[in-house]
Amino acid sequence: SWSAPAAWTPKTGSSMRKGSYAVKGSAGEADFAITAFPGDTGGLHANLNRWRGQVGLPNAAPAELDAALLHFDGKGGLHFEVIDLVGPSGNPPIRMLGAITSYGGNSWFFKLMGPDGTVAAEKQAFLEFLNTVKTP
């Protein structure tokens, strides 16, 4: 379970999304998605490189990825690997805040993606959101 910031607007979920929110900001609207998949879904580095590709960045070596991670222990007892990515181009550039944690044999993904200014302004709210994620 979790508790989203009041300013984030719930969106209709889908078969893949456990949660979905619209995050509005002065630079435009960002999308926040919560998904879960069985196992490690290829591992941490593969998932981080997949996210890099989504914002237009090339793959990075494991050492580069590890250096870019924020290790975040949420108040709900979960450990998150958090990354902040900004695409190389666009008007405005695309930014993504992503977090990955393991629970119950699944990999859980929390991804806020949208215009750089909107996502950057929501970084603290994103981290506070992770503090609300709790296991049953």
Side-chain angles (χ1 to χ4, degrees), residues 9 39 44 59 70 85-86 99-100 112 122 127:
T9 306
L44 178 63
N59 283 350
L70 166 67
L85 302 168
V86 181
I100 300 173
L112 177 62
E122 292 294 324
L127 295 172

Side-chain angles (χ1 to χ4, degrees), residues 20-120:
S20 189
Y21 297 86
V23 180
K24 296 181 180 158
S26 61
E29 187 173 300
D31 178 63
F32 183 69
I34 304 165
T35 56
F37 297 96
D40 71 0
T41 62
L44 178 63
H45 295 129
N47 284 298
L48 295 175
N49 272 323
R50 179 176 48 82
W51 281 351
R52 286 177 61 85
Q54 290 175 3
V55 297
L57 295 171
N59 283 350
E64 292 175 273
L65 294 170
D66 290 340
L69 287 174
L70 166 67
H71 304 284
F72 185 86
D73 290 319
K75 292 179 182 174
L78 294 170
H79 176 79
F80 298 90
E81 300 293 351
V82 179
I83 197 158
D84 186 350
L85 302 168
V86 181
S89 62
N91 187 19
I94 298 296
R95 186 179 202 124
M96 178 193 299
L97 290 170
I100 300 173
T101 192
S102 295
Y103 173 73
N106 293 312
S107 294
W108 285 77
F109 300 93
F110 302 84
K111 181 174 80 170
L112 177 62
M113 186 170 170
D116 181 24
T118 299
V119 174

